[in-house]
Amino acid sequence: MALTSPVAATAQAWRSLPRERRDTLFLLGVLGWTVLPHLQHVPAWIVAFAITLLLWRATIALRGAKLPSRWVVTAAMIVAGTAVALTQRTLWGRDAGVALLVLLMALKTLELSARRDAMVVFFLGFFLVLTNFLFSQSLGVAMAMLVSVWGLLTALTLAHMPNGQPTLREAGTLAARAALLGLPVMVVLFLLFPRIGPLWGMQGNSIGHTGLSDSLQMGSMAEIANDDSVAMRLRFDGGKVPQAAQLYFRGPVLSRFDGQRWLPPDDKAARPFTRAAGDTAPGPASNPGTAMRLIGPSIGYEMTLEPLNLNILPLLETTPALAGAAPVIPGVGMRLDDALQWRTTRVISARQRFNARAWLRFEHGPLESELALREDVELPPGFNPRSLQWAAQMRRDPRYANATADTLAEALIEHIRKEGFRYTLSPGLYGVNAVDEFWFDRHEGFCEHFAASFVVMLRALDVPARIVTGFQGADPLPVDGYTIVRQSNAHAWAEYWMRGRGWVRIDPTAAVAPDRVLLGLALPPPKGFVSDAISGFSPDLLRSVRDAVDAMNNRWNQWVLDYSRERQFQLLEALGVKSPGWEDLLYALIAVVSGGSLAGAIWAWLDRRRQDPSQRLRARLKTALARIGIVVADHDTPGALAERVRQQHGHAGQALAAALLTLEQLRYARAERDAKPSQAMPDRVWWRTLHAAVAGLRQARTG
């Protein structure tokens, strides 16, 4: 006896289910698939509660049990609404509204017993699909929701095929064909429907995703290296990508130190940046008394920046506030402060694409000592005594008694090289005196350990210094024409002030991990089981797959999510419309929709065969039997017609009666578990037999 595989046994059990149970289970599975993405956005208990309700309804369907009473459903609804109100602290707004919709949709399935209930569940399911896009419009979410839409359309198709036992494949194919027929309409609406502002305001931090923060503590950035997602994409003018060592993207500047955390300055954040007099256009500038001096040629770039959770743009160092160089984001105010931070008036909560221009060689900051620089020398008392003692010893050393800031910085870099410091993602937890541990005990750390310890030592040597965070480096090869900077490229480096030069960038990480800075290569995060297996099989395969996914995501972002009103106007200009405006968009949309509707009406008029196959079968049968004088009523079954043929034509009508009985068996002889007629249609052989029998009877009558 052959053994049946589990897959085959499951498929057989699925096919043996009564249609009503099968269709109900399919609909519940589609709804569960649609709910799952909300795990990232709403409290986990809400999704778990909804899935539990769906599983409860599935159990009822499998067992053929009765649905719970209305009192039970009402009590569950009250409990769910109360829990949402307590969790979200409101019943209004996006998050609370989505949570309620998820729960109410799941509760409604407990009343799923009639066609009317099914229509309500279908409506809620389609609306639930839309709610996923309130949180994310990524390609992955779009693909998942495309599956949901197909599943809901299939369930809706099944609901409109009440007769027989249509398979899921038949219903799914019909649903896919219907969706494909509507695809041109969707494309036209996407291209021409006027772009308006968002209908639902997004909370900035709810979709922000970046490794940067406005504070820093030793060990906090090491976790970022495990995030391989894209932070930004860049396309440089002329296709010439700068060397990785030049790719520093400046984010928050931190100068206040409380012994544990680094924080932004108190006063500089509110003071606007003072640029050189006369610097109103892009180009090299040199003025020894100003705050910024641009050196050499510039390079233009286009940046596609992922959402942030702070109001500082990490732009390429340095992007000045000059006409043609500064970024412009519609609806977002921004300014460049004296720490070269590009500050925005609000948190960037959506993907942004803009153009800017940077000078990779520059100098900035005051050339002479100022009172404001004293904050960049301050250290909190009571922390890191061994580091302070070491700094005092260096100052007593004749070599460093009157040394410049450059000399002292180079001495610390040389110490890092000679003492065998190590760059690692997992340095372990540091204590209260973290800088002392780094210099004298551990000798290892991530970029923030090197930068923070370096700045503390320079300050102990009375050199103004501060930490700069941002991103450094990029993927070695462009993907789809774009240079990719990932979250794992998040980095921290140091700046110190030197008389006559201003602020000078120095990256202590380069002393121990030159590949991290010179090649822009972040340390690879720990691999999972699947990625480790793929890398072991083919080292380049994982990177190729990742690059392919990044390319698809980039094209989705560029061509779908970033399709703006400006690009709509560009499309009209390409079609020959001069100086297009809103009216032209509306006229074009009306013209295309009207033309499409007219074409659809003509097609429907010409395609008269678009009707129920059962009705078409009855119409053909009625025409054929009318030739021999038999009238077919709407209520006549094939068996009744066969009996009428025998009564009118006797033995001569035996062949025709046999053909009609074959149709009777094909259409109505179903298993005992299902009394509904079949959707099976007779084949060409049957029709030839029928027409031959009718022709024989006609000849007998005329003869």
Side-chain angles (χ1 to χ4, degrees):
M1 182 178 179
L3 294 177
T4 304
S5 68
V7 175
T10 302
Q12 180 62 32
W14 175 262
R15 286 192 294 267
S16 65
L17 286 173
R19 178 185 167 182
E20 183 179 354
R21 297 183 187 180
R22 182 205 65 181
D23 293 354
T24 300
L25 292 175
F26 177 76
L27 176 59
L28 294 175
V30 173
L31 295 176
W33 171 268
T34 308
V35 167
L36 280 178
H38 282 301
L39 269 173
Q40 307 176 52
H41 317 122
V42 300
W45 74 264
I46 293 177
V47 176
F49 189 28
I51 297 297
T52 301
L53 293 175
L54 295 177
L55 291 175
W56 183 17
R57 182 61 180 87
T59 303
I60 293 174
L62 285 172
R63 296 179 177 178
K66 293 183 179 180
L67 294 174
S69 66
R70 179 165 297 183
W71 292 108
V72 173
V73 177
T74 302
M77 182 179 65
I78 294 174
V79 171
T82 304
V84 170
L86 293 176
T87 303
Q88 302 292 337
R89 299 181 183 277
T90 181
L91 290 178
W92 300 98
R94 181 192 61 180
D95 295 344
V98 170
L100 279 176
L101 179 64
V102 169
L103 294 176
L104 292 178
M105 184 276 302
L107 285 168
K108 184 60 183 177
T109 62
L110 297 177
E111 298 180 334
L112 185 58
S113 60
R115 181 182 178 87
R116 179 187 61 184
D117 300 321
M119 294 299 114
V120 174
V121 172
F122 293 146
F123 174 79
L124 291 176
F126 282 116
F127 196 79
L128 189 64
V129 168
L130 293 177
T131 61
N132 282 283
F133 294 104
L134 295 175
F135 299 94
S136 173
Q137 298 87 38
S138 67
L139 179 59
V141 170
M143 296 299 292
M145 292 305 100
L146 184 63
V147 174
S148 294
V149 169
W150 171 82
L152 289 170
L153 286 176
T154 301
L156 187 61
T157 302
L158 288 170
H160 286 82
M161 299 173 69
N163 296 327
Q165 185 88 358
T167 64
L168 290 180
R169 176 180 296 181
E170 293 171 345
T173 301
L174 185 58
R177 288 177 56 190
L180 288 176
L181 289 175
L183 183 61
V185 178
M186 292 187 289
V187 172
V188 168
L189 291 176
F190 172 78
L191 292 176
L192 298 178
F193 195 85
R195 288 295 190 270
I196 57 179
L199 298 179
W200 198 307
M202 294 291 186
Q203 297 296 328
N205 291 338
S206 63
I207 61 172
H209 182 65
T210 177
L212 302 184
S213 174
D214 57 1
S215 65
L216 178 69
Q217 189 169 358
M218 279 192 176
S220 60
M221 293 191 70
E223 299 178 0
I224 304 168
N226 294 320
D227 188 353
D228 205 33
S229 59
V230 176
M232 63 185 79
R233 293 179 174 89
L234 299 106
R235 185 163 55 184
F236 293 93
D237 292 356
K240 186 178 180 181
V241 181
Q243 296 179 359
Q246 298 175 301
L247 295 178
Y248 279 84
F249 301 90
R250 192 180 187 91
V253 177
L254 311 174
S255 60
R256 282 190 299 131
F257 183 45
D258 63 6
Q260 297 293 318
R261 294 184 305 155
W262 290 86
L263 303 167
D266 283 329
D267 57 336
K268 293 182 181 179
R271 203 166 66 224
F273 176 77
T274 305
R275 71 175 180 225
D279 287 347
T280 58
S286 179
N287 187 336
T290 59
M292 179 166 57
R293 298 159 294 282
L294 307 176
I295 304 170
S298 62
I299 182 169
Y301 63 95
E302 175 193 276
M303 176 181 287
T304 303
L305 183 66
E306 295 298 315
L308 302 171
N309 61 7
L310 72 166
N311 61 341
I312 296 178
L313 295 180
L315 301 186
L316 186 61
E317 281 193 334
T318 186
T319 301
L322 304 179
V328 176
I329 301 178
V332 179
M334 61 185 70
R335 62 182 176 84
L336 183 66
D337 66 14
D338 61 352
L340 294 191
Q341 299 175 110
W342 275 100
R343 294 186 171 273
T344 58
T345 53
R346 63 177 176 85
V347 171
I348 303 300
S349 60
R351 185 179 294 104
Q352 300 291 343
R353 183 172 61 174
F354 50 84
N355 293 90
R357 180 169 293 274
W359 275 258
L360 302 181
R361 296 180 59 202
F362 64 96
E363 293 178 352
H364 75 104
L367 300 183
E368 299 296 331
S369 181
E370 295 182 352
L371 181 61
L373 292 174
R374 298 309 306 169
E375 183 186 59
D376 299 309
V377 187
E378 294 177 355
L379 289 173
F383 292 93
N384 305 300
R386 288 185 290 174
S387 297
L388 299 180
Q389 184 180 3
W390 180 29
Q393 292 175 354
M394 287 185 66
R395 277 304 188 186
R396 290 194 294 269
D397 190 324
R399 294 175 299 174
Y400 306 118
N402 298 307
T404 63
D406 278 345
T407 302
L408 295 172
E410 184 56 37
L412 295 177
I413 293 294
E414 188 63 24
H415 177 80
I416 291 175
R417 292 195 184 103
K418 287 183 176 181
E419 295 298 323
F421 281 73
R422 191 169 69 94
Y423 182 62
T424 176
L425 284 175
S426 53
L429 297 177
Y430 276 71
V432 175
N433 296 311
V435 174
D436 280 354
E437 289 187 48
F438 174 81
W439 285 117
F440 304 104
D441 303 325
R442 302 285 189 91
H443 288 190
E444 65 179 10
F446 196 52
C447 57
E448 76 268 28
H449 297 84
F450 285 89
S453 300
F454 197 87
V455 168
V456 167
M457 276 302 300
L458 285 178
R459 290 188 174 193
L461 292 168
D462 204 31
V463 175
R466 62 194 183 188
I467 295 176
V468 183
T469 61
F471 297 92
Q472 195 280 322
D475 284 359
L477 297 176
V479 176
D480 200 29
Y482 286 81
T483 299
I484 294 181
V485 179
R486 301 185 180 276
Q487 299 290 347
S488 55
N489 287 107
H491 193 51
W493 59 94
E495 281 185 341
Y496 64 88
W497 182 83
M498 183 175 178
R499 186 181 302 276
R501 289 182 60 188
W503 289 102
V504 179
R505 180 208 299 154
I506 188 167
D507 196 340
T509 304
V512 65
D515 287 350
R516 171 64 185 88
V517 176
L518 299 180
L519 301 181
L521 301 177
L523 283 179
K527 298 177 181 177
F529 175 78
V530 176
S531 60
D532 190 45
I534 295 177
S535 299
F537 174 74
S538 175
D540 296 330
L541 179 59
L542 189 61
R543 187 181 65 184
S544 299
V545 171
R546 186 186 68 176
D547 290 347
V549 172
D550 287 338
M552 288 190 296
N553 284 329
N554 179 54
R555 295 190 181 188
W556 172 262
N557 296 337
Q558 300 291 335
W559 294 104
V560 178
L561 300 185
D562 292 339
Y563 187 75
S564 60
R565 69 182 68 174
E566 289 77 13
R567 294 181 65 180
Q568 286 182 314
F569 293 155
Q570 292 172 4
L571 175 62
L572 292 182
E573 289 179 349
L575 296 176
V577 179
K578 296 182 179 180
S579 302
W582 292 109
E583 298 84 359
D584 301 297
L585 272 177
L586 291 175
Y587 293 152
L589 181 62
I590 293 172
V592 173
V593 172
S594 300
S597 301
L598 180 61
I602 294 174
W603 179 28
W605 179 73
L606 294 175
D607 188 16
R608 297 180 179 180
R609 297 172 59 86
R610 293 180 58 197
Q611 54 181 312
D612 186 358
S614 299
Q615 295 179 3
R616 188 163 62 247
L617 169 64
R618 179 168 291 276
R620 292 182 63 183
L621 190 61
K622 184 176 182 179
T623 302
L625 295 181
R627 297 175 183 174
I628 57 175
I630 295 179
V631 179
V632 180
D634 291 339
H635 61 271
D636 285 334
T637 65
L641 294 175
E643 183 63 26
R644 195 174 305 166
V645 168
R646 291 195 190 99
Q647 292 176 359
Q648 293 187 16
H649 298 279
H651 182 72
Q654 187 62 34
L656 179 57
L660 291 171
L661 290 175
T662 300
L663 178 62
E664 172 91 1
Q665 183 178 10
L666 178 68
R667 296 286 292 163
Y668 292 95
R670 303 301 297 160
E672 294 181 358
R673 60 179 173 80
D674 190 357
K676 296 178 181 179
S678 170
Q679 293 294 312
M681 293 289 114
D683 56 16
R684 294 180 180 179
V685 175
W686 184 88
W687 281 109
R688 284 198 296 266
T689 302
L690 178 77
H691 288 309
V694 170
L697 289 176
R698 291 188 65 189
Q699 290 178 0
R701 290 179 62 185
T702 57

